[in-house]
């Protein structure tokens, strides 16, 4: 792959850079540079409000979701131009974090399965940040086994009545809409009998309960459904074909997470450049340099693996199972980086208040948030199975519930 810009790409980059330079909310640039996984704080401002304002400004100029078709709020940019935009947006791209699920996962699913009228109605405000979407997949009894879900959808006239519970739903507490996978037929094997919908998160019977995390934030939630009615017109794909519909979401999810998850390496490298250990610069220590070199190689590998996926997209291919590699490596890497940074800080690493130890607080926030990164979008174990079976072609795991009707699978505490 040639990483030099073509003349057309160079022109696109120049336009993007000029627009960002003239319009970015630079009053928050320092705060965004200090922001890390698990903690984005803007002095005197609400992060969601600032993010929505920035996204809307981009949308008005055609930059919000540049790779989307123009009729849905994009500018029809190529996958490579999308990468160029992300490179030029830089730290201001951190303001798009709450839109990743909607634009990176729900949007592609809607484009593939919603009606044309629905796409033209729902996608533009999704892309502009005026409406936020979430993904309602995981359940307490299923975890990373998406097909093990128990939320029921029963047909009642032209509507479906939903009852059940989802968990770990990122952003549900500020989302306007969500895509929801349900079980519509429990008498067939678990990967069959599933059906996908989208719904208004303010619908009667939807209850969102934020979950308090170890780092003090509440980024994800439990969501309960009690006799929630969804019209059949909001079904995505055929009845019983929800698993195939969900694959579009899951493949895009792992691509979005793998390509965008923080690794902590840039923050650690900057920190080590200014750190003194035993009266000498930290970079004079061979052990420190060895650690940094190892993570630099991993960070480079993540970057170019992501570019490989972008190249596949540019050829019209659907994101594949190889995207699990980026998420698997980045998820463990940020945990290791944060732990090492705290080791270097010694006793100062226990301080989290910015006024006491800003750097210490950043790495502590990373460490407390990092376990969630290794769970969301598929646990490490699930991703290793995907890579082994679908990338390396190794024999599949033994699955004792394969071809067994879902309602005959032994379980405790059946709902």
């Amino acid at each position: 792959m040639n990483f030099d810009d073509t003349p057309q790409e160079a022109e696109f980059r120049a336009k993007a850079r000029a627009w960002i330079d003239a319009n970015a909310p630079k009053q928050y640039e320092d705060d965004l540079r200090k922001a890390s996984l698990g903690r984005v704080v803007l002095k005197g401002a609400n992060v969601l409000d600032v993010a929505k304002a920035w996204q809307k400004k981009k949308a008005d100029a055609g930059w919000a979701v540049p790779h989307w078709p123009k009729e849905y709020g994009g500018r029809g940019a190529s996958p490579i131009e999308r990468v160029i935009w992300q490179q030029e947006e830089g730290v201001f791209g951190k303001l798009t974090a709450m839109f990743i699920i909607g634009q990176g996962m729900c949007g592609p699913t809607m484009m593939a399965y919603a009606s044309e009228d629905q796409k033209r109605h729902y996608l533009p405000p999704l892309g502009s940040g005026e409406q936020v979407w979430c993904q309602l997949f995981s359940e307490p009894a299923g975890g990373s086994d998406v097909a093990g879900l128990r939320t029921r959808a029963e047909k009642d006239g032209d509507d479906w009545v939903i009852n059940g519970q989802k968990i770990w739903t990122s952003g549900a507490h500020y989302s306007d809409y969500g895509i929801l996978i349900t079980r519509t037929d429990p008498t067939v094997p678990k990967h069959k009998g599933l059906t996908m919908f989208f719904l208004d998160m303010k619908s009667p019977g939807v209850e969102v309960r934020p979950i308090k995390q170890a780092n003090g934030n509440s980024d994800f939630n439990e969501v309960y459904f009690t006799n929630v009615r969804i019209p059949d017109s909001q079904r995505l794909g055929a009845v019983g074909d929800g698993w195939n519909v969900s694959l579009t979401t899951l493949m895009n999810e792992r691509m979005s997470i793998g390509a965008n998850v923080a690794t902590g390496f840039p923050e650690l490298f900057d920190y080590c450049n200014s750190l003194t250990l035993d009266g000498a610069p930290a970079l004079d220590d061979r052990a420190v340099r060895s650690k940094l070199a190892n993570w630099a190689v991993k960070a480079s590998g993540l970057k170019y693996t992501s570019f490989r996926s972008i190249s596949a997209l540019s050829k019209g291919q659907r994101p594949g199972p190889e995207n699990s590699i980026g998420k698997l490596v980045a998820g463990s890497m940020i945990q290791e980086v944060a732990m090492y940074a705290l080791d270097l800080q010694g006793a100062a690493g226990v301080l989290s208040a910015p006024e006491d130890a800003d750097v210490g607080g950043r790495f502590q926030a990373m460490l407390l948030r990092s376990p969630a990164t290794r769970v969301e979008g598929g646990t490490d174990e699930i991703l290793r199975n995907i890579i082994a079976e679908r990338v390396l072609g190794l024999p599949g795991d033994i699955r004792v519930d394969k071809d067994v009707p879902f309602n005959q699978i032994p379980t405790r505490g059946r709902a």
Side-chain angles (χ1 to χ4, degrees), residues 28 52 59 99 106 128 172 215 232 244 293 351 356 373 381 398 404 412:
Y28 304 115
K52 283 192 167 188
F99 306 122
C106 303
S128 68
N215 64 358
D232 187 62
N244 285 327
L351 301 175
D356 295 329
T373 306
E381 293 78 11
I398 296 174
V404 177
R412 297 183 193 175

Side-chain angles (χ1 to χ4, degrees), residues 35-287:
S36 57
L37 182 70
R39 189 177 72 180
V40 178
V41 179
L42 304 180
K43 295 183 180 69
N46 179 279
V47 176
L48 182 59
D49 291 342
V50 173
K52 283 192 167 188
W54 174 230
Q55 193 71 13
K56 183 63 166 63
K57 179 177 282 191
K58 290 190 296 183
D60 291 342
W63 294 107
V65 277
H67 56 295
W68 282 15
K70 293 180 180 179
E71 59 268 30
Y72 306 143
R75 64 188 299 132
S78 70
I80 300 303
E81 288 173 333
R82 176 189 181 186
V83 172
I84 291 172
W85 167 262
Q86 292 171 338
Q87 291 172 340
E88 294 302 320
E89 191 176 16
V91 297
F92 301 107
K94 293 181 180 181
L95 291 172
T96 66
M98 57 274 300
F99 306 122
I100 287 176
I101 291 174
Q103 296 171 2
M105 306 165 206
C106 303
T109 306
M110 291 289 288
M111 286 185 203
Y113 292 98
S115 70
E116 187 61 29
D117 286 345
Q118 289 171 337
K119 287 186 277 192
R120 290 179 181 272
H121 177 77
Y122 291 102
L123 289 175
L126 192 169
S128 68
E130 294 170 88
Q131 295 174 349
V132 182
W133 286 55
C134 62
Q135 173 185 320
L136 298 148
F137 277 28
S138 296
E139 296 192 7
S144 290
D145 180 15
V146 174
L149 64 91
R150 299 182 179 281
T151 295
R152 304 182 304 278
E154 299 172 328
K155 193 74 182 297
D156 182 19
D158 292 331
D159 293 343
W160 293 84
V161 180
I162 314 297
N163 284 280
Q165 178 190 359
K166 300 291 181 177
I167 199 167
W168 314 127
T169 306
S170 300
H173 53 304
Y174 54 73
S175 290
D176 302 288
Y177 291 90
I179 56 173
L180 168 70
I181 188 165
T182 66
R183 186 166 301 282
T184 49
D185 186 355
T187 67
V188 294
K190 66 181 183 180
H191 287 84
K192 301 178 181 179
L194 304 178
T195 304
M196 183 87 83
F197 302 90
F198 70 91
L199 82 159
D200 187 332
M201 291 297 290
K202 306 301 187 295
S203 300
V206 176
E207 180 186 0
V208 178
R209 299 180 187 175
I211 298 172
K212 182 66 73 173
Q213 299 162 222
N215 64 358
N217 292 347
S218 294
D219 297 325
F220 39 72
N221 312 263
E222 297 176 285
V223 183
Y224 293 85
F225 301 89
T226 305
N227 295 323
V228 177
R229 302 187 75 87
I230 301 177
D232 187 62
S233 60
Q234 292 179 200
R235 172 168 44 85
L236 297 172
V239 174
D241 197 39
W243 178 251
N244 285 327
V245 179
S246 75
L247 290 179
T248 298
T249 311
L250 293 171
M251 290 300 99
N252 280 282
E253 175 184 49
R254 281 155 194 161
M255 179 178 178
S256 297
I257 292 177
N260 291 287
V261 71
T263 63
F265 175 71
E267 291 89 343
L268 179 64
F269 186 79
D270 290 344
Y271 174 57
C272 288
N273 268 296
S274 59
L275 179 64
T276 299
L277 295 176
D278 299 325
L283 293 181
D284 287 350
D285 189 310
R286 294 175 61 185

Side-chain angles (χ1 to χ4, degrees), residues 100 236 295 344 359 388 410:
I100 287 176
L236 297 172
W295 283 319
L344 289 177
V359 174

Side-chain angles (χ1 to χ4, degrees), residues 79 252 255 308-320 322:
N252 280 282
M255 179 178 178
R308 184 190 307 166
S309 298
I310 295 295
S311 294
L313 275 177
S314 68
K315 299 173 185 176
Q317 301 172 10
R318 187 171 78 170
E322 68 277 358

